[in-house]
């Protein structure tokens, strides 16, 4: 369910991976760019979620797929008008 929501909100920046679907490098770059337009950073996003910067980057790149963290990131990005 959550991957479908992220897929819709991120304009199909989802890629297929061995374990199913995950966010991609392209999605990470798009989010980073949109954060910069709003004068925000990956560090800001990490602090909002309560996780480390490297862990946030891994999630955005699809290297890790913790459902609860993805939902929180999605909520924050949506609330900020980023996705």
């Amino acid at each position: 369910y959550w991957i479908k929501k992220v897929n819709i909100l991120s304009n199909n920046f989802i890629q297929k991976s061995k374990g199913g679907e995950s966010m991609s490098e392209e999605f990470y770059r798009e989010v980073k760019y949109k954060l910069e337009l709003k004068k925000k950073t990956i560090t800001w996003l990490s602090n909002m979620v309560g996780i480390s910067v490297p862990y946030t980057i891994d999630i955005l790149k699809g290297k890790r797929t913790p459902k609860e963290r993805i939902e929180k990131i999605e909520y924050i990005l949506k609330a900020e008008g980023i996705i």
Side-chain angles (χ1 to χ4, degrees):
Y1 170 76
W2 58 272
I3 284 292
K4 288 181 183 173
K5 282 177 66 178
V6 172
N7 189 18
I8 291 166
L9 292 171
S10 63
N11 297 318
N12 298 318
F13 285 112
I14 303 293
Q15 70 179 12
K16 298 282 182 183
S17 69
K18 273 188 171 181
E21 295 180 335
S22 66
M23 291 184 226
S24 68
E25 179 78 29
E26 186 176 354
F27 180 74
Y28 164 72
R29 286 193 305 265
E30 182 75 14
V31 168
K32 187 175 178 184
Y33 172 73
K34 288 182 177 181
L35 282 170
E36 289 172 0
L37 290 177
K38 299 216 176 241
K39 307 278 191 235
K40 302 201 183 299
T41 63
I42 295 293
T43 302
W44 170 85
L45 179 60
S46 298
N47 290 334
M48 293 294 291
V49 178
I51 58 178
S52 70
V53 172
Y55 191 54
T56 302
I57 292 169
D58 281 353
I59 292 169
L60 292 173
K61 288 183 177 182
K63 295 178 181 178
R64 299 175 187 244
T65 57
K67 182 179 176 183
E68 293 172 8
R69 301 291 192 204
I70 291 173
E71 288 173 345
K72 192 166 185 179
I73 289 170
E74 175 192 1
Y75 176 81
I76 292 165
L77 294 177
K78 187 176 178 183
E80 292 293 323
I82 293 167
I83 59 172

